[in-house]
Amino acid sequence: MFVDSVKIFVKAGDGGDGGSYFLHEKYVDRGGPSGGNGGRGGSVIFVGEEGLTTLLDFRFTRKIVAEPGQNGMDKNMFGKSGKNAYAKVPIGTTIIDADTNTIIGDITKHGQEVVVAAGGRGGKGNACFASSRNPAPEIAEKGVPGVERNLQLELKVLADVGLVGFPSVGKSTLISVVSAAKPKIASYHFTTLHPNLGVVAVGDGRSFVMADLPGLIEGASSGLGLGFQFLKHIERTRVIVHIIDMSATDGRDPVDDYYKIRKELENYNPDLLKRPEIIVANKMDLPEASDNLELFKEETGIQEIYAISAYTKSNLQQLLYKIADTLEETRKFKPIEDASEEVVEYNFIPKGPEFTIRRDEEGIYHVEGEEVKKVFDRINFNNEANIRMFAKKLRDMGVDAELRRLGVKHGDLVCVFDYEFEFID
Ligand SMILES: Nc1nc2c(ncn2[C@@H]2O[C@H](COP(=O)(O)OP(=O)(O)OP(=O)(O)O)[C@@H](O)[C@H]2O)c(=O)[nH]1
Ligand SMILES: [Mg+2]
C-alpha cells in the first residue's frame, strides 16, 4: 500500500527539576544553597532525508518520545540535558498539528530540520534564588514539561519516475503489475484522469515511486487534452519512462508517436529532454509488435529499448532494474524546482493572550491560559516559599489587577487549574 498520510504522537522530554540542596560544611548549619539547575528535555526533530520516498516507517513507529532532562543535583551540579529524538522524513512532507489543524512546517530539503516538539527547560535550582534578603532559599523550580503533540504527516509525493505516452499505450496496466496501485484500465482514451502513484519494489532491496500519468496528445503542451496540468508532474520526476504501443493499435505509428511526445515535452520545458529517458515498447504480445520494433530501431537509430508486455507481464524485471540503476545515477541531481511553488517558512503556533479569567455560576474565578499553565507547571506546591513565588509571578503577570478589575472581593475563591485559594486583599 502506498502511504502518504499518517498520524503520529510526539512528546519532547520534560525539563529536569531544579535541585534544592544545602552545602554540608562542618560546624555550619545550612552552609548555603547548592541545588543545581535541571537539564533541558530533548526535543523531537524531523530531518529531511532524500533517500526516503514514503511515510511507511511511521506505520510502525507511531510514537516518538525524546529523553527528559535530569534533575539538578547537590553541589551545584546541573542535570544533564535529554537527548533529542531525530526522525527522518521524506522530502515533500508537510507536518500538521492534528489538534489545531495548523501547519507546523514543510520539509523541502535534504538535511532540513524542523523541531516538532520542543524539550522543556530545566527548572532553576535553589542556588539561583539566593539573595541578600534570603541567603538560604528552599525554593527550586520544577522543569517545564516537554511539548506533546498529535501530528498529521502528509507527503506530497514527488515520484521518482513518471510514465509518459499517448493514451491507451498501457501506462496504467504497467503500474498495476509492478506495484500495488490499482488504477482504472480500459481500452478507451483518457481512462486515467489523475496521476496514480505506486511504490515499486525491485526485488533486490531497492524501491522507487512510480507515477502513472494521464495520456499526452499532440498539443498537450499548449493545453490540449489533459496533458498540460500533468506535464508539471513530469517536471518533478527524475527519470522519464516513455511507453510506446509497439503493436500500433488504432492505426498508431510508433515512430511518429515517439517524436510527438518528445516534442510536447520539449515545448513544455526544454530541460525535460535532458532528463534520463527509458524507452519501453509495450504490447509485445501482439502479432505486429516485433516487426514494428525492428522498424522503430531502424528509423530512429535507437537500440536500447525495453520490449515488454504489461499484459502478460513479460520482461518486466529487466526494466525495473534499469529504472532503479538510472535512478541511482540521477540521485545527485535534483528535480527541477517548481518556481510557482514558494517555500513557506511556518512559525510555531502564535501565542494567545497570557491568561483569561472567567467567573463560574458559583462565583469562583478561574484563571486560565498557556502562560499561566507554564508558570503553574513549574511550581512545587509542597512548600510555602514556592507558593509565595507562584503568587508573586501571578501578580507580575497582572492576574491580581485583572481580578480586581472584575470585582473580586477579599475571601473570594480563585482557581488556577487544580490549585484553589482565597483572594486576600
Ligand atoms: N495486448 C496487450 N494489451 C495491453 C497491454 N498493456 C495494456 N493493454 C491494453 O491496452 C488498453 C489501455 O491500457 P491502459 O493501461 O488503460 O492504458 P493507459 O496508457 O493507462 O491509457 P490512458 O489512461 O487512457 O492514458 C487496455 O485495454 C489494456 O488491457 C499489453 O501489454 N498487451
Ligand atoms: Mg491510464
Side-chain angles (χ1 to χ4, degrees):
M1 194 205 312
F2 186 68
V3 178
D4 61 354
S5 174
V6 287
K7 243 190 182 158
I8 62 163
F9 172 77
V10 291
K11 161 102 178 72
D14 298 341
D17 295 342
S20 183
Y21 295 95
F22 291 90
L23 281 176
H24 294 289
E25 285 173 40
K26 255 185 190 169
Y27 314 119
V28 185
D29 180 36
R30 297 213 158 177
S34 67
N37 298 347
R40 181 173 238 300
S43 298
V44 180
I45 300 170
F46 283 177
V47 192
E49 170 63 48
E50 229 157 33
L52 286 178
T53 45
T54 74
L55 293 171
L56 201 68
D57 289 349
F58 290 100
R59 281 272 148 134
F60 310 107
T61 320
R62 291 200 172 253
K63 199 169 162 186
I64 302 172
V65 179
E67 216 177 61
Q70 277 180 358
N71 293 341
M73 290 163 286
D74 201 354
K75 301 189 183 122
N76 287 315
M77 282 199 290
F78 284 20
K80 257 206 233 152
S81 296
K83 282 202 192 89
N84 293 334
Y86 292 93
K88 288 176 179 171
V89 294
I91 315 293
T93 303
T94 301
I95 307 155
I96 299 158
D97 184 315
D99 299 318
T100 60
N101 222 1
T102 40
I103 295 178
I104 296 171
D106 263 335
I107 299 281
T108 56
K109 294 185 199 77
H110 181 72
Q112 180 192 348
E113 295 190 358
V114 172
V115 178
V116 292
R121 197 155 61 78
K124 285 183 187 146
N126 66 336
C128 285
F129 294 98
S131 64
S132 53
R133 264 196 310 148
N134 186 0
E138 279 174 25
I139 51 175
E141 284 176 326
K142 287 216 289 181
V144 175
V147 171
E148 290 183 16
R149 274 190 169 149
N150 291 304
L151 298 179
Q152 174 88 32
L153 304 185
E154 273 168 20
L155 178 59
K156 285 175 268 160
V157 184
L158 312 178
D160 298 307
V161 271
L163 303 181
V164 303
F166 272 89
S168 297
V169 296
K171 299 180 295 297
S172 299
T173 308
L174 177 61
I175 203 172
S176 77
V177 295
V178 297
S179 78
K182 292 273 162 282
K184 192 168 164 194
I185 293 166
S187 57
Y188 57 87
H189 291 185
F190 299 120
T191 309
T192 302
L193 301 173
H194 309 284
N196 298 299
L197 295 166
V199 179
V200 180
V202 178
D204 58 2
R206 292 181 293 177
S207 67
F208 54 82
V209 177
M210 181 183 264
D212 164 32
L213 301 164
L216 296 174
I217 53 170
E218 203 175 357
S221 57
S222 49
L224 279 185
L226 293 168
F228 193 73
Q229 60 187 119
F230 299 113
L231 278 161
K232 195 173 98 177
H233 291 273
I234 303 173
E235 218 174 13
R236 309 182 90 180
T237 61
R238 294 172 208 271
V239 172
I240 291 171
V241 172
H242 188 154
I243 303 194
I244 296 161
D245 177 352
M246 213 40 91
S247 74
T249 334
D250 305 337
R252 304 218 79 102
D253 174 349
V255 175
D256 197 42
D257 281 3
Y258 176 72
Y259 287 120
K260 275 186 178 147
I261 295 290
R262 296 283 288 174
K263 190 81 206 149
E264 292 309 322
L265 297 180
E266 183 184 14
N267 288 349
Y268 182 76
N269 179 350
D271 277 344
L272 285 176
L273 294 196
K274 295 185 200 144
R275 206 62 61 82
E277 183 200 46
I278 296 167
I279 302 171
V280 173
N282 190 31
K283 306 199 185 178
M284 291 307 291
D285 56 294
L286 294 177
E288 296 82 29
S290 294
D291 289 349
N292 288 339
L293 180 58
E294 286 318 306
L295 269 171
F296 186 91
K297 284 182 176 170
E298 260 170 46
E299 284 186 42
T300 61
I302 302 170
Q303 294 305 314
E304 193 180 2
I305 296 167
Y306 291 80
I308 65 160
S309 167
Y311 189 71
T312 63
K313 304 184 190 172
S314 36
N315 283 341
L316 299 177
Q317 192 56 53
Q318 213 191 343
L319 171 63
L320 299 188
Y321 283 139
K322 172 66 184 174
I323 297 173
D325 290 347
T326 312
L327 275 170
E328 249 165 43
E329 284 160 29
T330 57
R331 281 271 182 237
K332 337 184 235 309
F333 305 113
K334 291 259 181 319
I336 298 171
E337 294 286 340
D338 188 341
S340 65
E341 254 171 72
E342 285 174 55
V343 176
V344 189
E345 293 284 339
Y346 297 95
N347 293 318
F348 277 96
I349 320 301
K351 254 209 227 158
E354 297 229 307
F355 61 85
T356 53
I357 300 176
R358 69 181 167 85
R359 196 173 177 204
D360 67 17
E361 312 87 65
E362 291 161 43
I364 301 172
Y365 291 89
H366 295 267
V367 183
E368 288 151 350
E370 225 176 281
E371 288 302 303
V372 181
K373 181 86 169 88
K374 274 189 206 158
V375 174
F376 177 82
D377 284 340
R378 310 189 70 161
I379 301 297
N380 241 323
F381 286 88
N382 61 1
N383 84 36
E384 191 62 28
N386 285 344
I387 295 169
R388 269 202 306 276
M389 177 168 75
F390 179 56
K392 178 174 183 312
K393 286 203 165 154
L394 290 185
R395 204 157 52 238
D396 291 348
M397 286 174 82
V399 172
D400 287 27
E402 181 63 8
L403 281 168
R404 285 204 180 84
R405 197 184 68 77
L406 294 170
V408 74
K409 283 187 271 315
H410 185 83
D412 280 350
L413 273 183
V414 177
C415 231
V416 184
F417 302 101
D418 55 11
Y419 182 68
E420 207 175 77
F421 58 94
E422 281 182 16
F423 190 80
I424 298 162
D425 220 356

